[in-house]
Amino acid sequence: MPAAIQQLDKIADEFSRVTSCVVGAAFHGTYSVLVDEWREGAENIGTELERLLGILKDHQYETSTVDENPYLAHTGLVWAAIDRMKGLSRTENEAAIKRWEGQKEIVKDAWTEFKELLEDQEGDDDDDDDVDFGDDGEDEDEDDEWGVLERGMTGGKMSAEEKSRAEAVSKPTSPHDKLTAQAKPLLGLHQLLHASMPRFLPCLAMSTSETTYHDLVGASGRTVAAFDTAISTMYPEQDESEISSSLRDLGEVSRKTISLLQSRLAAISNSSTQAQRDQFTSFLSKWLERLEKENASWEERRLSVASLNSALP
């Protein structure tokens, strides 16, 4: 027990330093993504510390040896939580990028889930005609963002004519399965937009006095929610109206996100990031153009499937 008390003194000192930093950061600025991240780190330390105190209380009257007492392992968990604070973000921009990267993985998982659903519907895991949007083209040439988007749209495999033929002979046979398959290009476009953002966010730093990126992180969170809802409507128990509604909602969320990004880009005067901001601006404009085309194609395909469904006995 004396050894445990000695460790608690050290932990208390470190914990007080951390909490002082978090409280100070929150007091001297607006509530920010950076403060969120540091607060969560401090809360993790507090959670592990509470567990340690519970262990010490449970074993205070025991005569077991140190090796048998679990307080050492729990002390290690507290120190591990303290050590993780060293890897936290140092700027608001960095914190926003880290949060967006984490949410990007959620969208990516939902996209993978959707593609697996299509494979189950088609009964063929080796679909050579599949239009693969990939991830976000992180290994591509950063000077050709629109090229990344184009290659993501086609998968580097199919011309527009080939894509049209592939859609015409799509394997799903039920109206719902056909409608789900036809939604893939539109869903893939939204997935690609969200996945591409972290590489551009560094150029959005407006000034050293700016204290919060909550609007950007909030936009990412809304995309995650809308994308997940859209994927959930692709399962057989949902109908055409629910699919269409979820895709419209997702499109509206993406448009609002782009509007937010464009407003930030217009407000930046830092010449050192001008080239990247020009690339970003072009990317967003061309993405919106592609969205209109894909929405039109989706609507045409949706009506075709609706006509097929009406013709069925």
Side-chain angles (χ1 to χ4, degrees):
M1 188 60 68
I5 297 301
Q6 184 180 22
Q7 286 293 311
L8 283 177
D9 288 339
K10 295 179 181 179
I11 289 172
D13 181 60
E14 293 292 335
F15 191 41
S16 64
R17 292 172 185 269
V18 169
T19 53
S20 295
C21 289
V22 175
V23 172
F27 180 78
H28 291 290
T30 58
Y31 197 58
S32 67
V33 181
L34 181 65
V35 172
D36 280 348
E37 185 179 332
W38 278 75
R39 175 182 53 79
E40 290 168 5
E43 289 176 348
N44 289 336
I45 296 174
T47 297
E48 296 299 340
L49 188 54
E50 286 184 2
R51 291 174 180 170
L52 174 60
L53 292 175
I55 290 295
L56 292 175
K57 180 180 179 181
D58 291 342
H59 289 265
Q60 62 180 323
Y61 300 115
E62 295 184 2
T63 58
S64 57
T65 65
V66 172
D67 289 339
E68 294 172 342
N69 196 313
Y71 90 87
L72 287 178
H74 284 77
T75 300
L77 293 175
V78 175
W79 283 114
I82 292 174
D83 288 340
R84 284 195 295 272
M85 295 290 291
K86 299 175 183 177
L88 297 185
S89 303
R90 295 295 188 270
T91 67
E92 180 72 358
N93 189 282
E94 183 182 342
I97 293 171
K98 184 181 294 184
R99 186 64 60 89
W100 196 297
E101 285 281 3
Q103 294 175 333
K104 183 179 78 173
E105 292 303 312
I106 300 175
V107 174
K108 183 178 177 180
D109 288 344
W111 173 240
T112 300
E113 175 189 339
F114 172 67
K115 291 193 292 185
E116 290 173 349
L117 172 64
L118 291 185
E119 290 175 355
D120 291 341
Q121 290 176 346
E122 295 170 0
D124 186 353
D125 293 336
D126 185 19
D127 188 0
D128 292 334
D129 291 331
D130 187 30
V131 182
D132 187 3
F133 286 83
D135 298 325
D136 60 357
E138 291 179 342
D139 296 329
E140 301 285 351
D141 185 354
E142 292 190 5
D143 293 330
D144 186 17
E145 272 69 35
W146 180 242
V148 170
L149 182 56
E150 285 290 340
R151 286 188 289 276
M153 291 294 295
T154 63
K157 305 175 186 178
M158 304 167 65
S159 65
E161 182 179 357
E162 290 169 336
K163 177 183 173 183
S164 178
R165 288 200 305 269
E167 291 172 347
V169 296
S170 56
K171 296 175 184 177
T173 55
S174 73
H176 181 277
D177 287 357
K178 283 184 177 294
L179 194 64
T180 301
Q182 303 297 358
K184 185 176 182 181
L186 197 52
L187 283 170
L189 189 63
H190 290 288
Q191 185 271 337
L192 189 62
L193 173 68
H194 187 272
S196 298
M197 291 305 100
R199 65 185 299 188
F200 287 114
L201 291 182
C203 75
L204 292 181
M206 295 171 66
S207 70
T208 56
S209 61
E210 186 180 29
T211 55
T212 180
Y213 277 50
H214 266 139
D215 53 353
L216 289 176
V217 173
S220 176
R222 287 187 289 275
T223 299
V224 171
F227 196 88
D228 185 66
T229 297
I231 296 300
S232 69
T233 65
M234 300 298 159
Y235 286 87
E237 59 269 19
Q238 309 299 326
D239 59 26
E240 180 272 335
S241 64
E242 291 170 313
I243 295 175
S244 296
S245 177
S246 69
L247 289 176
R248 284 195 298 271
D249 291 344
L250 179 57
E252 184 63 21
V253 168
S254 289
R255 288 191 185 92
K256 288 182 178 179
T257 297
I258 288 180
S259 178
L260 171 63
L261 293 167
Q262 289 173 330
S263 296
R264 278 182 168 267
L265 284 167
I268 298 173
S269 59
N270 184 359
S271 60
S272 65
T273 61
Q274 186 61 49
Q276 188 180 22
R277 285 187 281 119
D278 288 344
Q279 292 168 7
F280 196 9
T281 299
S282 177
F283 178 88
L284 295 177
S285 296
K286 292 182 178 180
W287 189 92
L288 285 171
E289 292 176 6
R290 180 56 64 96
L291 177 64
E292 293 307 314
K293 293 179 181 178
E294 289 299 333
N295 273 333
S297 296
W298 154 257
E299 188 64 19
E300 180 180 351
R301 294 190 294 264
R302 183 187 68 79
L303 292 174
S304 297
V305 172
S307 298
L308 174 62
N309 193 30
S310 298
L312 291 176

